[in-house]
């Protein structure tokens, strides 16, 4: 078993693996209540106050691993019973309080919630405090500290708040499904729904290609994930899961970059359409800029569309990547025709291990679909470099002036500048995750060398130009 970055990630993996094992064996529903006892065997608790709470939380994790509440369209859910270990009080008076006579904290409190104790130190009445933060801003010693929960701090669009019960709650009108909160919560109380069971059923119901063929579309960020085996061995492992074909999402990236370069030259200003969380951010929080979003599909949907249209027999497509927002994108009417299910790298690892596949012992299945430019879509700046290459190959009379944005905060700044005509650029590459797809919430590893690994993967491409890779792929399909 691989080493995980955190024990939260390990816990999630253990649940996913147990669910995958039973889904493959066909007895998942019968053993639904057994999994929490496997995760927390007892008799003593190792993670929570008691074994009963541990198992109750594990049961919720199993529910989410099986798809969660299908009535809730959001792919990110909070497990309320698991969300109770963070500080309840947002503002606290620390030992740094000197009991000064200026009393700025008291005088600036709009609810008179701050008083002095007998020793002169300030104290906050939590029943009347409205958490406005004025006291913290004016304290000359910085003695009043703000306790921001990790999920709130990680969410750069203010989509998470505390409800009346002091549990985390997601605002569906703001959430862009980027998964930052999933990675940030130290207790794993925020989790992405898994559609792994759907994927396993797709594989099983194909009856070894008799009913339809199964095609896995792998994100280029896959090249940054496995140190103990080659990418070719990972591809072989995917085939061993029951997948008929494995294709590169990077091939879709070549197609998108080719089309996007022409659209940019025609319209004069464009924001990219490849990152679904970035697109969702524009649609939900800056709808006046939505008209500038590229009309092209994302690489995932583009290659899925191409495969389904050109396949000789019915095909079911499963995307595998590091992104929670791809699960939300798949639900769109413009995408669900082309992509049947989305898995993350975490879920792929769980499925491989559930089938007891040792990737290090496998032969290699090489991928040779995409150009270097499509493959580097997996990291920040790769999309822009691909568009520049497409403009060059097509000999378009247009100068691309790109603003490359790593993380949603940089995206917001660029969009605000563009909105008021002060950006000075004609193309915004928006990636909601810092570093691009390699920084995705469901990556197995988030290493500084991930960008380098994606670049090395790009350099191994057989066709060095996008035009050549697209033409070759059309002939092959």
């Amino acid at each position: 078993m691989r080493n995980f970055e955190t024990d939260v990630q390990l816990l999630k993996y253990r649940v996913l693996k147990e669910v995958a094992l039973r889904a493959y064996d066909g007895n998942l529903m019968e053993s639904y209540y057994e999994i929490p006892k496997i995760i927390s065997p007892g008799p003593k608790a190792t993670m929570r106050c008691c074994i009963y709470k541990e198992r109750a939380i594990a049961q919720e994790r199993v529910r989410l691993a099986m798809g969660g509440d299908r009535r809730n369209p959001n792919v990110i859910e909070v497990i309320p019973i698991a969300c109770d270990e963070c500080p309840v009080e947002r503002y606290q008076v620390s030992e740094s309080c000197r009991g000064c006579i200026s009393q700025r904290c008291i005088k600036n409190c709009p609810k008179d919630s701050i008083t002095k104790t007998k020793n002169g130190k300030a104290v906050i009445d939590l029943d009347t405090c409205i958490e406005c933060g004025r006291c913290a801003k004016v304290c000359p010693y910085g003695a009043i500290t703000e306790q921001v929960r990790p999920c709130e701090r990680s969410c750069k669009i203010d989509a998470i708040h505390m409800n009346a019960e002091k549990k985390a709650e997601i605002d569906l009108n703001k959430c862009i499904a980027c998964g930052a909160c999933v990675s940030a919560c130290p207790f794993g109380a925020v989790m992405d729904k898994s559609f792994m069971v759907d994927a396993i059923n797709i594989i099983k119901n194909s009856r070894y290609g008799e009913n339809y063929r199964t095609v896995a579309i792998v994100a280029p960020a896959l090249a940054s994930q496995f140190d103990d085996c080659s990418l070719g061995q990972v591809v072989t492992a995917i085939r061993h899961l029951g997948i008929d074909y494995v294709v590169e999402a990077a091939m879709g990236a070549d197609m998108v970059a080719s089309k996007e370069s022409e659209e940019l030259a025609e319209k004069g200003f464009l924001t990219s359409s490849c990152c679904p969380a970035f697109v969702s951010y524009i649609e939900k929080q800056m709808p006046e800029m939505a008209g500038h979003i590229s009309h092209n599909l994302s690489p995932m949907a583009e290659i899925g569309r191409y495969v389904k249209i050109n396949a000789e027999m019915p095909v079911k497509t499963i995307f595998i990547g590091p992104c929670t927002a791809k699960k939300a994108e798949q639900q769109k009417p413009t995408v669900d025709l082309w992509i049947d299910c989305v898995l993350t790298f975490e879920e792929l690892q769980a499925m491989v291990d559930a089938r007891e596949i040792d990737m290090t012992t496998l032969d290699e299945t090489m991928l040779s679909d995409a150009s270097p430019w499509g493959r580097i879509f997996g990291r920040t700046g790769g999309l822009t470099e691909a568009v520049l290459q497409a403009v060059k190959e097509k000999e378009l009379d247009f100068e691309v002036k790109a603003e490359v944005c790593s993380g949603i905060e940089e995206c917001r700044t660029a969009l605000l500048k563009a909105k008021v005509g002060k950006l000075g650029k004609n193309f915004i590459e928006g990636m909601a995750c810092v570093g691009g797809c390699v920084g995705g919430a469901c990556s197995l590893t988030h290493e500084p060398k991930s960008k380098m690994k994606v670049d090395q993967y790009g350099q191994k491409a057989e066709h060095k130009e996008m035009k050549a890779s697209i033409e070759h792929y059309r002939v092959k399909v």
Side-chain angles (χ1 to χ4, degrees), residues 281-354:
Y281 176 76
I282 297 174
E283 293 172 341
K284 289 185 175 183
Q285 304 220 12
M286 289 194 189
E288 63 275 18
M289 294 294 292
H292 297 294
I293 301 171
S294 169
H295 283 66
N296 285 291
L297 295 170
S298 70
M300 172 187 80
E302 181 69 21
I303 191 62
R305 173 181 176 275
Y306 191 88
V307 167
K308 286 205 171 190
I309 288 176
N310 291 280
E312 295 180 354
M313 67 178 295
V315 165
K316 296 281 188 180
T317 53
I318 301 172
F319 177 79
I320 304 173
C323 181
T324 54
K326 285 293 183 186
K327 296 180 179 182
E329 181 190 357
Q330 187 276 331
Q331 297 174 6
K332 289 186 172 183
T334 54
V335 178
D336 66 357
L337 283 171
W338 316 122
I339 301 296
D340 294 290
C341 187
V342 170
L343 295 175
T344 64
F345 293 151
E346 292 176 332
E347 291 155 355
L348 171 62
Q349 181 76 65
M351 289 171 65
V352 167
D353 290 347

Side-chain angles (χ1 to χ4, degrees), residues 193-440:
K193 294 176 182 175
S194 172
F195 302 107
M196 182 179 62
V197 176
D198 294 354
I200 292 172
N201 287 334
I202 287 173
I203 294 170
K204 291 171 67 176
N205 292 337
S206 74
R207 294 188 179 275
Y208 303 100
E210 182 180 329
N211 293 331
Y212 51 79
R213 298 293 173 86
T214 53
V215 176
I217 300 170
V218 294
L222 184 67
S224 68
Q225 294 298 294
F226 297 90
D227 286 327
D228 56 346
C229 59
S230 69
L231 182 61
Q233 289 175 311
V234 178
V235 174
T236 303
I238 294 172
R239 292 289 305 276
H240 280 29
L241 293 175
I243 299 291
D244 294 305
Y245 302 104
V246 180
V247 302
E248 295 185 78
M251 185 65 246
D254 279 334
M255 295 174 174
V256 169
S258 180
K259 292 180 179 180
E260 209 158 72
S261 64
E262 294 180 349
E263 185 183 6
L264 175 57
E266 177 186 343
K267 295 181 177 178
F269 178 81
L270 211 61
T271 68
S272 60
S273 60
C274 299
C275 172
F278 173 60
V279 171
S280 180
Y281 176 76
I282 297 174
E283 293 172 341
K284 289 185 175 183
Q285 304 220 12
M286 289 194 189
E288 63 275 18
M289 294 294 292
H292 297 294
I293 301 171
S294 169
H295 283 66
N296 285 291
L297 295 170
S298 70
M300 172 187 80
E302 181 69 21
I303 191 62
R305 173 181 176 275
Y306 191 88
V307 167
K308 286 205 171 190
I309 288 176
N310 291 280
E312 295 180 354
M313 67 178 295
V315 165
K316 296 281 188 180
T317 53
I318 301 172
F319 177 79
I320 304 173
C323 181
T324 54
K326 285 293 183 186
K327 296 180 179 182
E329 181 190 357
Q330 187 276 331
Q331 297 174 6
K332 289 186 172 183
T334 54
V335 178
D336 66 357
L337 283 171
W338 316 122
I339 301 296
D340 294 290
C341 187
V342 170
L343 295 175
T344 64
F345 293 151
E346 292 176 332
E347 291 155 355
L348 171 62
Q349 181 76 65
M351 289 171 65
V352 167
D353 290 347
R355 301 305 284 169
E356 298 183 349
I357 299 170
D358 183 356
M359 290 190 286
T360 62
T361 65
L362 300 177
D363 294 332
E364 295 191 38
T365 302
M366 303 309 298
L367 294 177
S368 60
D369 300 333
S371 77
W373 313 101
R375 288 181 171 183
I376 61 174
F377 263 57
R379 49 85 167 167
T380 296
L383 166 57
T384 293
E385 291 177 40
V387 170
L388 287 167
Q389 176 67 16
V391 169
K392 177 183 176 182
E393 289 183 19
K394 291 175 176 289
E395 298 181 347
L396 299 176
D397 186 17
F398 185 82
E399 182 183 3
V400 179
K401 298 179 180 179
E403 183 75 2
V404 177
C405 303
S406 176
I408 206 65
E409 290 177 301
E410 290 187 9
C411 293
R412 179 194 296 114
T413 299
L415 288 166
L416 287 172
K417 288 181 178 179
K419 182 180 173 181
V420 297
K422 294 186 177 180
L423 182 63
K425 305 290 178 67
N426 54 28
F427 180 66
I428 298 178
E429 176 195 309
M431 296 286 184
C433 294
V434 175
C437 302
V438 293

Side-chain angles (χ1 to χ4, degrees), residues 41-331:
K44 292 183 178 181
T46 58
M47 296 174 284
R48 298 286 184 161
C49 60
C50 66
I51 193 65
Y52 306 104
K53 185 169 184 177
E54 277 192 8
R55 288 175 179 171
I57 294 173
Q59 194 73 68
E60 287 296 292
R61 295 189 189 283
V62 172
R63 180 182 65 82
L64 287 169
M66 294 173 60
D69 185 355
R70 302 285 177 145
R71 296 167 299 177
N72 178 359
N74 210 38
V75 297
I76 310 294
E77 283 193 27
V78 175
I79 304 175
I81 191 175
C83 182
D84 64 351
E85 299 291 347
C86 289
V88 174
E89 303 83 13
R90 191 177 185 99
Y91 290 95
Q92 295 178 328
V93 180
S94 71
E95 292 297 321
S96 299
C97 178
R98 311 317 303 160
C100 66
I101 62 175
S102 69
Q103 300 187 15
R104 290 181 181 178
C105 58
I106 295 175
K107 294 182 181 299
N108 280 273
C109 180
K111 294 295 182 180
D112 298 324
S113 298
I114 303 179
T115 56
K116 277 193 172 185
T117 60
K118 291 181 180 179
N119 62 5
K121 300 283 180 93
V123 62
I124 300 174
D125 182 353
L126 300 176
D127 292 330
T128 59
C129 175
I130 60 172
E131 299 182 345
C132 65
R134 295 182 188 178
C135 55
K137 291 178 182 177
V138 299
C139 176
Y141 294 102
I144 301 178
T145 60
E146 182 181 10
Q147 300 282 348
V148 182
R149 294 186 177 189
C151 59
E152 286 186 279
R153 186 183 298 111
S154 70
C155 183
K156 305 304 181 183
I157 56 172
D158 299 324
I160 294 186
H161 60 275
M162 298 303 115
N163 60 22
E165 298 177 351
K166 297 297 182 180
K167 307 283 189 179
E169 193 170 81
I170 298 173
D171 186 340
L172 302 186
N173 294 319
K174 291 183 178 181
C175 181
I176 59 175
C178 67
C181 54
V182 175
S183 296
C185 180
F187 286 90
V190 190
M191 185 172 164
D192 56 305
K193 294 176 182 175
S194 172
F195 302 107
M196 182 179 62
V197 176
D198 294 354
I200 292 172
N201 287 334
I202 287 173
I203 294 170
K204 291 171 67 176
N205 292 337
S206 74
R207 294 188 179 275
Y208 303 100
E210 182 180 329
N211 293 331
Y212 51 79
R213 298 293 173 86
T214 53
V215 176
I217 300 170
V218 294
L222 184 67
S224 68
Q225 294 298 294
F226 297 90
D227 286 327
D228 56 346
C229 59
S230 69
L231 182 61
Q233 289 175 311
V234 178
V235 174
T236 303
I238 294 172
R239 292 289 305 276
H240 280 29
L241 293 175
I243 299 291
D244 294 305
Y245 302 104
V246 180
V247 302
E248 295 185 78
M251 185 65 246
D254 279 334
M255 295 174 174
V256 169
S258 180
K259 292 180 179 180
E260 209 158 72
S261 64
E262 294 180 349
E263 185 183 6
L264 175 57
E266 177 186 343
K267 295 181 177 178
F269 178 81
L270 211 61
T271 68
S272 60
S273 60
C274 299
C275 172
F278 173 60
V279 171
S280 180
Y281 176 76
I282 297 174
E283 293 172 341
K284 289 185 175 183
Q285 304 220 12
M286 289 194 189
E288 63 275 18
M289 294 294 292
H292 297 294
I293 301 171
S294 169
H295 283 66
N296 285 291
L297 295 170
S298 70
M300 172 187 80
E302 181 69 21
I303 191 62
R305 173 181 176 275
Y306 191 88
V307 167
K308 286 205 171 190
I309 288 176
N310 291 280
E312 295 180 354
M313 67 178 295
V315 165
K316 296 281 188 180
T317 53
I318 301 172
F319 177 79
I320 304 173
C323 181
T324 54
K326 285 293 183 186
K327 296 180 179 182
E329 181 190 357
Q330 187 276 331
Q331 297 174 6

